[in-house]
Amino acid sequence: MRTASRLVQDDLAIMFEKPDGQYYLLAGSILLAGFWRLEDKFGMPLSEIHTSGDVPAFKEKLEKGMMNFFRRVQPQSPVLRNNYFVQVDDDLAWSHSIGPEDAMHDPVTGKVVLQAEGWSSAEKNKAIAHHHFRSERQSLRRLPRSGGVVFTIRTYFHPVTEIAEEVGVPGRLASAVRSWGDWVARYKGRE
């Protein structure tokens, strides 16, 4: 993993299927996650990674399909997908607008007193100059010898004011944001 992470720009994560049929995150080099930490997700099954991250309707709508999808990924047929968020600060590696990267603990009790939550907890009503379009291009491919599924994650990060200068982009982005259902809007912090 050390060598691979030095050869490619993308973040890397490898998941392996265990006898219980779940895929577990067991290797990775993640530098630009934005709002989650590898040390928090390492060793978790795919389902728990998504439920611990409050992915909306994961259990109800996405889990079964995602598990079937993982079982069908083949070495000769990589799969590509993209996602996006609007982030209200310019911190690529960790969005400080959602809280500190490291949970803050009460020095007396040791209890967590402040912890990052997600895009929905980001600062509200910031000027457009602070908004950035964050997109990830993810590829998934089964490794032929180990059977693990490797993710590559390439992060793109641009000021919204910059991408708004491209013809047609403001309308398409506004339309996409308006199309989010309530659960996606809460997750992505639309308000």
Side-chain angles (χ1 to χ4, degrees), residues 1 11-15 25-30 36 38 139 149-153:
M1 182 56 69
D11 284 347
L12 302 170
I14 304 177
M15 304 197 71
L25 177 56
L26 298 179
S29 174
I30 306 291
W36 64 277
L38 179 60
S139 70
V149 175
V150 65
F151 279 82
T152 65
I153 307 160

Side-chain angles (χ1 to χ4, degrees), residues 40-89:
D40 296 333
K41 306 292 184 179
F42 193 81
M44 282 186 180
L46 182 65
S47 297
E48 188 177 348
I49 289 169
H50 288 85
T51 56
S52 69
D54 294 325
V55 173
F58 179 78
K59 282 280 189 199
E60 303 84 3
K61 296 183 177 186
L62 303 173
E63 182 176 35
K64 184 179 179 185
M66 190 174 290
M67 292 306 298
N68 290 334
F69 168 78
F70 261 68
R71 289 184 185 102
R72 290 191 309 264
V73 172
Q74 295 300 313
Q76 69 277 11
S77 303
V79 177
L80 300 176
R81 69 178 297 272
N82 292 286
N83 66 22
Y84 68 94
F85 294 90
V86 176
Q87 186 173 318
V88 293
D89 60 46

Side-chain angles (χ1 to χ4, degrees), residues 66-164:
M66 190 174 290
M67 292 306 298
N68 290 334
F69 168 78
F70 261 68
R71 289 184 185 102
R72 290 191 309 264
V73 172
Q74 295 300 313
Q76 69 277 11
S77 303
V79 177
L80 300 176
R81 69 178 297 272
N82 292 286
N83 66 22
Y84 68 94
F85 294 90
V86 176
Q87 186 173 318
V88 293
D89 60 46
D90 62 356
D91 296 321
L92 178 59
W94 181 266
S95 178
H96 289 91
S97 67
I98 65 170
E101 181 175 1
D102 295 315
M104 293 185 185
H105 296 83
D106 182 293
V108 176
T109 65
K111 292 183 180 179
V112 173
V113 293
L114 182 60
Q115 179 173 313
E117 293 180 34
W119 300 123
S120 63
S121 66
E123 296 174 48
K124 309 291 187 264
N125 302 317
K126 289 190 82 171
I128 193 67
H130 298 285
H131 289 66
H132 287 73
F133 183 78
R134 180 186 191 98
S135 179
E136 295 175 345
R137 177 187 176 271
Q138 301 173 350
S139 70
L140 295 90
R141 178 188 310 247
R142 184 165 308 279
L143 298 171
R145 283 193 259 167
S146 68
V149 175
V150 65
F151 279 82
T152 65
I153 307 160
R154 170 82 51 102
T155 302
Y156 299 91
F157 193 72
H158 299 281
V160 167
T161 54
E162 181 182 296
I163 65 169

